[in-house]
Amino acid sequence: MNINLAIAERARAGEALTVAEIDELGASDILSLGMLADEVRRARVGESVTFTRVLELSGALGASGALGASGAEVRITFLPNTFDETEGLIAEARMLAGPQLLTGFSLADIADRHWGKLVDILKRLKRAGLDAIAEAPVDRLHDAEDALRACDAAGLPVRCLSLQSPIEGDGRSSWLIHLRDLVKKFPAIDTVNPLSREQSIAVPTTGYEDVRAVALARLVLPSVKTIQVDWAQYGPKLAQVALTFGANDLDRVSTVDDESLGRRRTSVEDVKRNITAAGFTPVERAAG
């Protein structure tokens, strides 16, 4: 189905699309949708694609893990069972990270621990040395607006709004409108990852569905500068195509490489090569 020209013009103008309009865009021809999203993306954010090198800390920390990670974001991916353990983990990670950006955790995981009033817990995490929350999976938060307001009050920014589980049926349009409302209320959040962290075993998504989700996020969220794809999770093939469907940022580029493969096969060089091949200019995202 061809794209409705009136809806396309509203998307180009950054107007607030309705659920019906988003549904109609979602049912349109995938190539036409991609071309429109790419046009809008270039008009809004230019032809640069950012990428973020991330040193992930998932358990016991060791100084050797920081080798080659200078200037990268240091991200804690493991949330301990107790708050005391979490404070200790942040303190240890802070020593390892030094002046580098230290992020960590899912906001939903922290809220689910019920360690106390969320804003107070977030303030203590900041005092322990955490610079930012890595992501807020909006579909997992009981009250996303309240949780994000707690982050604001604690002075602990959220790096990315994300999706934990695949959206079934016709729920994607409503989810995108919910995201649009949130970023309007919290304009400091400028990054959205529209692809789910988890995959349905029974009904896994296809590459077509994934790039369609990226394109719709670009068209429905005009105030969001950065539409992000997880390089480590989705891989170079889908990531490269997603760049031509409205994405402009690749997250979780590894800081660890097999040097025996040579410099041209390192993660950073691979990312740069894929970005360039898609017709864009690679720029490493400042970890700060």
Side-chain angles (χ1 to χ4, degrees):
M1 178 172 109
N2 291 330
I3 291 181
N4 182 304
L5 295 180
I7 298 176
E9 283 305 312
R10 281 171 47 76
R12 290 187 181 98
E15 297 179 13
L17 302 180
T18 66
V19 168
E21 288 172 326
I22 300 168
D23 286 344
E24 187 168 339
L25 278 178
S28 62
D29 171 69
I30 187 68
L31 293 180
S32 299
L33 181 66
M35 290 175 64
L36 176 61
D38 183 56
E39 176 191 340
V40 169
R41 166 242 196 279
R42 291 175 189 267
R44 289 180 187 163
V45 298
E47 299 189 357
S48 296
V49 169
T50 52
F51 64 91
T52 303
R53 291 185 303 123
V54 177
L55 172 63
E56 294 189 312
L57 306 177
S58 58
L61 308 186
S64 61
L67 294 176
S70 177
E73 175 185 334
V74 179
R75 186 180 300 172
I76 307 171
T77 60
F78 168 71
L79 182 63
N81 291 323
T82 71
F83 185 75
D84 288 345
E85 289 175 317
T86 302
E87 282 188 310
L89 179 62
I90 292 172
E92 189 178 353
R94 180 78 272 168
M95 292 181 63
L96 176 65
Q100 293 172 214
L101 179 71
L102 177 62
T103 70
F105 317 125
S106 153
L107 183 58
D109 286 344
I110 296 172
D112 287 348
R113 288 289 195 269
H114 300 293
W115 284 328
K117 190 176 180 180
L118 184 58
V119 64
D120 295 334
I121 293 300
L122 294 171
K123 287 178 179 178
R124 289 181 63 181
L125 295 181
K126 182 178 181 180
R127 285 198 297 270
L130 193 68
D131 293 318
I133 299 295
E135 64 175 327
V138 173
D139 57 318
R140 275 194 55 209
L141 289 164
H142 175 67
D143 186 334
E145 183 177 342
D146 187 62
L148 294 173
R149 191 176 293 112
C151 290
D152 264 5
L156 197 59
V158 172
R159 294 278 283 176
C160 175
L161 297 183
S162 62
L163 175 67
Q164 185 70 27
S165 303
I167 297 176
E168 298 180 359
D170 300 325
R172 182 169 295 277
S173 297
S174 297
W175 180 72
L176 286 169
I177 288 179
H178 182 39
L179 280 180
R180 187 175 68 199
D181 292 341
L182 287 174
V183 295
K184 184 177 181 179
K185 293 174 180 176
F186 302 95
I189 300 175
D190 66 355
T191 301
V192 167
N193 181 344
L195 301 182
S196 62
R197 293 295 185 193
E198 299 173 354
Q199 290 292 323
S200 169
I201 297 176
V203 188
T205 61
T206 66
Y208 286 111
E209 292 168 331
D210 290 333
V211 294
R212 189 184 300 277
V214 169
L216 288 173
R218 173 57 71 192
L219 297 173
V220 177
L221 304 173
S223 66
V224 173
K225 177 182 178 181
T226 304
I227 301 297
Q228 184 180 91
V229 173
D230 189 317
W231 171 266
Q233 180 177 359
Y234 283 91
K237 289 184 178 180
L238 187 135
Q240 187 182 71
V241 176
L243 295 179
T244 65
F245 275 70
N248 66 316
D249 182 76
L250 300 176
D251 188 39
R252 286 211 302 157
V253 176
S254 177
T255 61
V256 180
D257 290 302
D258 184 349
E259 296 182 357
S260 67
L261 297 177
R263 181 178 179 275
R264 286 181 55 81
R265 296 295 299 276
T266 64
S267 297
V268 169
E269 291 305 314
D270 195 21
V271 167
K272 289 180 177 179
R273 211 166 29 246
N274 274 270
I275 293 172
T276 302
F280 300 101
T281 303
V283 177
E284 183 167 0
R285 194 176 185 184

